Amino acid sequence: MLGLPKGEVFLVQWTEEWNKEFLSEKEKILNEVGDYIVEIHHIGSTAVKKLSAKPIIDIAVEINDFSVGENCVSPLEKIGYSYKGTNILPDRHYFSKGEPSTHQIHMYQSGNKFLQEQLKFRDYLRNNDKARIEYEELKYKLSELNNNNKHKYAEEKTQFVKSILEQI
């Protein structure tokens, strides 16, 4: 299952389909804006095997120069993305796809600290079952408490994420 209606927060069990969906979307993105791209990363909980997640594929698109993100807007709109600008989340061009939302692109300049933290956290969870399980339990608890407030849900996960990043 893929797609999260606006304003809702719920989790579904991890599925291999998420990885297949990422690879398919990566190919589409490369076909449209590949000349600007350094790398495309599967990030977020859907990128961590066995971790329940909101059913949205998070994609980090790494570019050499932040300003070329503007050049990607029209081509990405051709494949269904809506450009949300650079003011939604820090230091990135942000795009979403679908209603309900099925994909998100976070477009970062290479070396961006937020990108590096996303990758470190993802890799840590991929390689540490105890932390992955603990994070999943926290996410379920927070999704139940904040099922209609995605911002509060995300905010309340922040301390866990920071504690992991401080360890690694």
Side-chain angles (χ1 to χ4, degrees):
M1 179 203 157
L2 215 174
L4 188 69
K6 198 174 206 99
E8 291 186 33
V9 177
F10 60 85
L11 305 178
V12 297
Q13 287 190 318
W14 186 87
T15 172
E16 182 62 41
E17 292 304 312
W18 289 343
N19 196 44
K20 292 175 186 171
E21 184 63 33
F22 163 74
L23 294 172
S24 171
E25 203 65 19
K26 178 180 178 177
E27 189 174 319
K28 293 173 192 171
I29 294 165
L30 282 169
N31 287 338
E32 291 299 326
V33 294
D35 291 346
Y36 301 110
I37 293 174
V38 174
E39 185 62 65
I40 299 178
H41 310 274
H42 190 181
I43 59 171
S45 294
T46 61
V48 179
K49 193 173 188 174
K50 298 182 182 177
L51 179 59
S52 295
K54 294 182 299 180
I56 299 175
I57 306 298
D58 281 300
I59 301 167
V61 174
E62 189 175 346
I63 53 179
N64 272 327
D65 180 353
F66 191 74
S67 65
V68 304
E70 297 288 334
N71 300 344
C72 299
V73 173
S74 181
L76 290 174
E77 285 175 342
K78 282 193 235 169
I79 58 170
Y81 284 91
S82 296
Y83 184 54
K84 305 299 182 183
T86 58
N87 297 323
I88 303 289
L89 295 162
D91 293 343
R92 73 197 81 180
H93 294 275
Y94 177 70
F95 301 80
S96 66
K97 183 177 187 177
E99 188 51 54
S101 186
T102 58
H103 301 78
Q104 300 179 109
I105 292 176
H106 307 263
M107 187 174 283
Y108 299 98
Q109 182 168 315
S110 287
N112 178 283
K113 79 171 192 153
F114 295 108
L115 171 61
Q116 298 308 314
E117 288 175 350
Q118 290 260 357
L119 297 174
K120 284 180 188 176
F121 185 68
R122 177 203 65 192
D123 292 346
Y124 185 80
L125 292 180
R126 283 179 171 175
N127 295 306
N128 188 312
D129 287 340
K130 183 178 180 283
R132 176 183 47 79
I133 291 165
E134 188 178 343
Y135 186 53
E136 182 176 62
E137 289 170 352
L138 174 65
K139 287 170 42 126
Y140 269 112
K141 177 180 158 197
L142 294 176
S143 69
E144 289 171 16
L145 292 172
N146 303 295
N147 63 340
N148 291 312
N149 189 337
K150 71 177 186 175
H151 298 293
K152 190 164 190 216
Y153 166 80
E155 183 183 302
E156 291 186 2
K157 294 186 307 179
T158 302
Q159 189 53 46
F160 181 88
V161 174
K162 283 183 178 178
S163 72
I164 294 296
L165 291 172
E166 288 169 1
Q167 292 176 39
I168 55 178

